[in-house]
Amino acid sequence: MNGQTIAVEIAAAGDGAWFAKHTDRRLRLRNMIPGEFSDVDGEPPVGMAWRTIVIEAQPGARSRQAIALPLGTDIGQFTDEALFELFVQVAPPGARQVIASLRKVKLPAATGAS
């Protein structure tokens, strides 16, 4: 298992736990886990910090997107609407359609505790 796989597994577990506790939310902004993204390498731009926007289309179906935000940004201040606007701005082309598709797919219920 490589470092990125481990980082993604840690991120997914944390995101799953967060969404389980915040059932009224569909988006979250959190600190990026080092190694989480293969296309984000090195330090963020000066005065910025790497963060991750996570959108949950439905329980267990999530998409993550890296974003650099100014240092000192209160990550708890954003509403789902504001986070979705940020997500759309930084996500690759077609990401919005992927999320819409995920919302339509019926996933099997999760079994067991994680």
Side-chain angles (χ1 to χ4, degrees), residues 1-95:
M1 194 176 294
N2 67 33
Q4 184 184 10
T5 301
I6 293 169
V8 169
E9 285 184 9
I10 291 168
D15 293 337
W18 190 90
F19 282 110
K21 287 177 79 173
H22 300 89
T23 56
D24 59 326
R25 298 290 305 268
R26 291 293 129 230
L27 288 106
R28 99 180 267 218
L29 179 66
R30 62 168 168 75
N31 294 329
M32 182 186 294
I33 295 173
E36 181 177 359
F37 295 95
S38 61
D39 60 342
V40 176
D41 192 21
E43 297 296 316
V46 174
M48 309 286 265
W50 289 120
R51 306 288 189 234
T52 300
I53 299 173
V54 184
I55 183 169
E56 184 172 64
Q58 61 174 300
R62 296 180 208 96
S63 180
R64 298 171 295 114
Q65 181 61 49
I67 186 171
L69 293 174
L71 288 171
T73 299
D74 177 9
I75 62 175
Q77 73 176 340
F78 294 94
T79 63
D80 277 2
E81 293 79 16
L83 286 175
F84 189 71
E85 282 184 35
L86 282 176
F87 180 85
V88 169
Q89 289 175 22
V90 298

